[in-house]
Amino acid sequence: MLDKNFIIFLSIGILFSGSIISFLFHKINSRKFHGSISIITSLISLLTIIYLCINFINHPFSTSPFSQNLFNIINLNLILRADGINLFFALFGSFISFCVCIYSIEYMSHEKNGMGRFFGLMQLFIGGYLGVVLSDNLIWTYIFFELIGLCSYQLIGFWYERDLSSYSAKKAYLMTHIAGYGLLLGIIAIAYCTHGNLIISKLEGSSFGIYTNIILLGILIACMAKSVQWPLHTWIPFAMNTVTPVSALLHAACLVKAGVYILVKMYVILYPYPLPWNALIVTVGSLTSLIGVMYALKQTEIKKLLAFHTVSQIGYMVAGIGLGTPLGIASALFHALNHGLFKCTLFLCSGIMQNATGSKDLTKMGGLFKKLPFTAALFLIGSFSISGVPGFNGFISKWMFYYAAIQANYPFAAAIGLIASTLTLLSFIKASSTAFFGFQKEEFKNIQEGKYKIEIFSISLLAIFCILIGILPQFLISYLLVPALHSLNLNLNQEIFNFNLGVLLSSGGGYLASFTAIFAIVAIFAPIIIIFATNKKFKRVQSFTGGEVKTSSLKNINAFDYIFDVESLSKNFYRFTDSDKWYDFSNDLLKTAFEIIYIPIKWLENEMWLVTSIVSMIIVIAIVQLVR
């Protein structure tokens, strides 16, 4: 058996080593050279995580490759720990990262410069993410947490010569970095209460008294910003102004999940959360899921649409964590994994659509199914999954969340989640219909999907699991989810297998529902395949828009037609929930307050003789009083 201490260190160290190589040889501006390094390092990292999952997910261990104390008080040991929850996040993060690295090697052929910088930062980011989820020392958790924020800043600003990219990178970094001090505040409070002990696995059962509120407040603020919860989510639509692999990796799989991980990991230290905090977290998550999907509905730019769906979907996870029950937390973890798979699938498909059409604007697309059939099929798989269609992975975790919310006496969370899921489906009907169906535009007649083979292969790796998990969720629950909950000292017992999905989730046999799910998926895709195979026998007409339209405008239907009513009827909703406007308003108030305060200060600056006289008089009076 391989040395487990070496293996866990290798899972991170290999990525940092690859990053250093790419930075050192950045003058070799070859995507194949740097891309190959990133694929090799991410594959080795993935294999080490799989090895750890197979051998140690039920037998946690910790190792410390680096030991150092600060003033003999603060333990600075870099301690890496392999347990259920750590390996759960590490596994899907490393798998998605590997797929994105494969995708990037072809996608980046459009870029002329910065190959070493791009692939070096990507590997550094993946290593930082694994550091966050594998570290057992809160000091190092914070260091890695800030490292991925710094990498995010650099990657969002990949086209730093462009003003919009530069602005977007600064906004993302400032909002996540400043809020990140909340995590530091929580760590300092923990250190104060435990006399410097910051080793997570040794903090179980610790008492923090009134400092519990300070810890939770700081951590919640940091996680809200990093995991794009309303109202600290406004950096993510701007973060789309970069290359697609960055959007997929950072904003689907890793960066936004770091906040979710820390929020759920705190259960090891603080379980159970005080009830008011549970209610607050559930409310934040539920509001975010609804607000996010409402903003997604009005988008006509594909990447911004997906970005707001990230906001919405992570709302489910945060709300699930807030429920505080084993089933609620299980639903959050399950949805975190599912979201990484289907959102990354959708983002990567959007990259192909953007390169093929030269635009991110849905209103400029149409009829792409004929030219990009595999991309369309993969996009539909992602759309069905995120919308919670039965037979796909998103359905299981969403259904689990609804059941857990009702069971925990939060029926409003279940209701909002169901509404948000319905609106999600509507949003993807709009996106799919506008981009892939209807009349094909003349300028797309020369599109050839063959040149995207590597990209489609990497997306297929993700999409396959969207289906497999959808029809066989019991394997993931038994071998990943249950050990993850055990490491949080939570037991699902039998309740997860007994709720309304019954046989589908049963680990003890009976796969009838799984076969039913397979038939459902076949029923969905078989007509599409038949239509595609016999395309010439069908008359092509405009896509269904969900309502009557004027015959004269049939050829001009685009994404705007789907959102016009939503926008016009929800103006007040958008006006109230646009947190950027509230930030601007607060900024104006502060500016006005400082200007008012500065008026007397400015007068005193001009009347220094008066200030000097008053200060001198005070000093003389003080001396006289001392002499007496």
Side-chain angles (χ1 to χ4, degrees):
M1 180 178 287
L2 297 173
D3 182 2
K4 61 185 181 182
N5 298 322
F6 172 74
I7 291 295
I8 193 170
F9 178 70
L10 180 65
S11 66
I12 298 176
I14 188 69
L15 289 160
F16 288 156
S17 300
S19 174
I20 291 170
I21 293 172
S22 285
F23 287 138
L24 286 177
F25 296 96
H26 68 279
K27 290 186 177 179
I28 303 175
N29 190 41
S30 167
R31 64 183 168 82
K32 291 183 179 177
F33 173 74
H34 294 289
S36 299
I37 293 173
S38 73
I39 290 174
I40 292 169
T41 57
S42 60
L43 176 60
I44 293 173
S45 179
L46 172 62
L47 293 175
T48 57
I49 296 296
I50 292 173
Y51 178 83
L52 291 169
C53 286
I54 293 172
N55 292 283
F56 303 106
I57 197 164
N58 289 311
H59 307 284
F61 74 90
S62 300
T63 184
S64 178
F66 168 74
S67 301
Q68 183 64 51
N69 287 334
L70 180 65
F71 307 125
N72 293 322
I73 297 175
I74 303 295
N75 185 344
L76 292 182
N77 291 356
L78 172 57
I79 301 173
L80 302 178
R81 181 173 175 79
D83 63 20
I85 189 70
N86 294 5
L87 291 175
F88 179 85
F89 277 87
L91 181 62
F92 76 75
S94 57
F95 173 68
I96 292 171
S97 301
F98 171 62
C99 294
V100 172
C101 287
I102 296 175
Y103 179 92
S104 301
I105 201 168
E106 187 173 81
Y107 180 90
M108 293 303 287
S109 62
H110 298 85
E111 303 297 330
K112 296 180 180 177
N113 301 306
M115 293 301 107
R117 176 165 54 93
F118 172 78
F119 285 104
L121 285 168
M122 289 285 276
Q123 293 171 87
L124 188 62
F125 175 85
I126 301 166
Y129 168 79
L130 291 178
V132 170
V133 301
L134 292 177
S135 172
D136 197 34
N137 187 333
L138 283 170
I139 288 289
W140 281 97
T141 300
Y142 179 73
I143 291 171
F144 286 124
F145 190 77
E146 286 303 309
L147 175 63
I148 61 175
L150 196 60
C151 292
S152 170
Y153 165 71
Q154 293 287 340
L155 287 167
I156 294 171
F158 179 74
W159 296 318
Y160 59 87
E161 303 92 345
R162 304 177 186 179
D163 290 342
L164 185 57
S165 292
S166 179
Y167 171 80
S168 301
K170 290 172 186 171
K171 179 167 185 170
Y173 183 67
L174 282 176
M175 288 193 71
T176 56
H177 176 70
I178 293 172
Y181 285 117
L183 175 60
L184 185 60
L185 174 68
I187 291 172
I188 291 171
I190 291 172
Y192 175 77
C193 296
T194 60
H195 307 289
N197 180 19
L198 293 173
I199 310 306
I200 299 173
S201 57
K202 295 181 179 178
L203 288 172
E204 295 179 24
S206 299
S207 177
F208 299 97
I210 59 171
Y211 292 98
T212 299
N213 294 321
I214 296 174
I215 296 168
L216 281 173
L217 176 65
I219 288 170
L220 183 59
I221 291 173
C223 294
M224 284 175 67
K226 200 71 108 181
S227 294
V228 289
Q229 295 298 284
W230 185 83
L232 300 178
H233 68 289
T234 58
W235 60 267
I236 195 166
F238 288 91
M240 297 299 105
N241 298 305
T242 184
V243 290
T244 297
V246 172
S247 303
L249 180 61
L250 274 66
H251 310 127
C254 297
L255 181 69
V256 292
K257 300 292 167 47
V260 174
Y261 165 78
I262 289 174
L263 199 57
V264 75
K265 187 71 178 181
M266 283 299 111
Y267 269 110
V268 174
I269 303 172
L270 301 170
Y271 187 81
Y273 288 175
L275 285 180
W277 283 100
N278 284 114
L280 176 64
I281 295 170
V282 171
T283 304
V284 168
S286 297
L287 281 177
T288 300
S289 67
L290 183 61
I291 292 170
V293 76
M294 285 296 290
Y295 276 83
L297 268 177
K298 63 180 289 191
Q299 304 303 317
T300 56
E301 189 178 306
I302 182 66
K303 287 180 69 176
K304 285 188 177 179
L305 180 146
L306 296 176
F308 277 109
H309 277 297
T310 295
V311 175
S312 177
Q313 297 301 312
I314 292 184
Y316 283 96
M317 301 168 211
V318 171
I321 294 169
L323 294 177
T325 62
L327 192 58
I329 296 169
S331 72
L333 295 177
F334 202 168
H335 202 60
L337 182 148
N338 289 339
H339 177 261
L341 294 172
F342 57 63
K343 185 52 69 61
C344 200
T345 298
L346 291 166
F347 263 121
L348 298 183
C349 284
S350 75
I352 294 178
M353 293 156 63
Q354 183 181 347
N355 284 341
T357 63
S359 174
K360 294 181 285 186
D361 193 342
L362 285 168
T363 64
K364 297 179 180 176
M365 301 181 188
L368 291 175
F369 191 94
K370 188 175 181 180
K371 291 294 180 183
L372 301 172
F374 291 104
T375 307
L378 294 169
F379 190 88
L380 288 175
I381 290 173
S383 301
F384 291 142
S385 300
I386 194 173
S387 302
V389 173
F392 297 87
N393 59 348
F395 170 72
I396 307 295
S397 50
K398 285 188 176 181
W399 191 268
M400 195 183 288
F401 171 75
Y402 304 146
Y403 190 87
I406 294 171
Q407 190 184 55
N409 292 322
Y410 287 101
F412 78 90
I416 292 176
L418 194 58
I419 293 169
S421 188
T422 306
L423 295 175
T424 301
L425 181 61
L426 176 62
S427 174
F428 278 96
I429 288 175
K430 178 191 81 173
S432 304
S433 300
T434 310
F436 295 110
F437 302 109
F439 294 103
Q440 180 187 306
K441 298 192 175 182
E442 184 65 20
E443 58 265 35
F444 301 150
K445 64 181 181 182
N446 294 324
I447 291 177
Q448 294 180 342
E449 196 174 37
K451 60 182 180 180
Y452 305 116
K453 286 179 181 174
I454 296 176
E455 293 167 64
I456 289 172
F457 168 73
S458 63
I459 302 171
S460 301
L461 294 176
L462 297 161
I464 286 170
F465 282 96
C466 292
I467 298 174
L468 287 178
I469 294 173
I471 58 179
L472 297 168
Q474 51 273 69
F475 288 107
L476 186 139
I477 291 172
S478 299
Y479 297 111
L480 283 179
L481 207 54
V482 170
L485 289 169
H486 282 168
S487 68
L488 298 173
N489 300 318
L490 300 173
N491 290 308
L492 281 174
N493 298 321
Q494 195 60 27
E495 61 180 322
I496 192 170
F497 302 122
N498 290 339
F499 72 92
N500 289 346
L501 284 174
V503 177
L504 182 58
L505 294 182
S506 173
S507 62
Y511 288 87
L512 180 61
S514 293
F515 285 115
T516 305
I518 292 172
F519 291 138
I521 291 171
V522 171
I524 290 172
F525 282 100
I528 297 174
I529 295 170
I530 292 170
I531 291 171
F532 173 68
T534 57
N535 189 42
K536 293 182 180 178
K537 299 179 181 178
F538 289 84
K539 180 182 178 183
R540 186 173 292 276
V541 298
Q542 185 51 267
S543 58
F544 173 65
T545 61
E548 296 293 334
V549 292
K550 293 180 180 178
T551 307
S552 59
S553 63
L554 274 177
K555 288 193 174 182
N556 299 320
I557 293 175
N558 56 42
F560 281 116
D561 296 291
Y562 288 87
I563 62 172
F564 178 77
D565 289 338
V566 175
E567 279 197 271
S568 59
L569 294 173
S570 309
K571 284 182 179 176
N572 289 331
F573 176 86
Y574 290 124
R575 188 182 301 122
F576 179 76
T577 55
D578 186 352
S579 43
D580 264 346
K581 289 184 179 177
W582 291 105
Y583 297 146
D584 291 340
F585 177 71
S586 303
N587 184 52
D588 291 341
L589 276 182
L590 280 174
K591 184 181 176 183
T592 304
F594 279 118
E595 287 175 350
I596 293 172
I597 293 171
Y598 186 65
I599 292 173
I601 295 175
K602 186 177 181 181
W603 180 80
L604 289 173
E605 283 180 348
N606 293 330
E607 304 293 340
M608 285 305 295
W609 64 270
L610 180 61
V611 176
T612 306
S613 301
I614 293 172
V615 171
S616 301
M617 190 178 300
I618 292 172
I619 293 172
V620 170
I621 293 172
I623 292 172
V624 170
Q625 290 296 326
L626 286 173
V627 170
R628 280 184 176 180

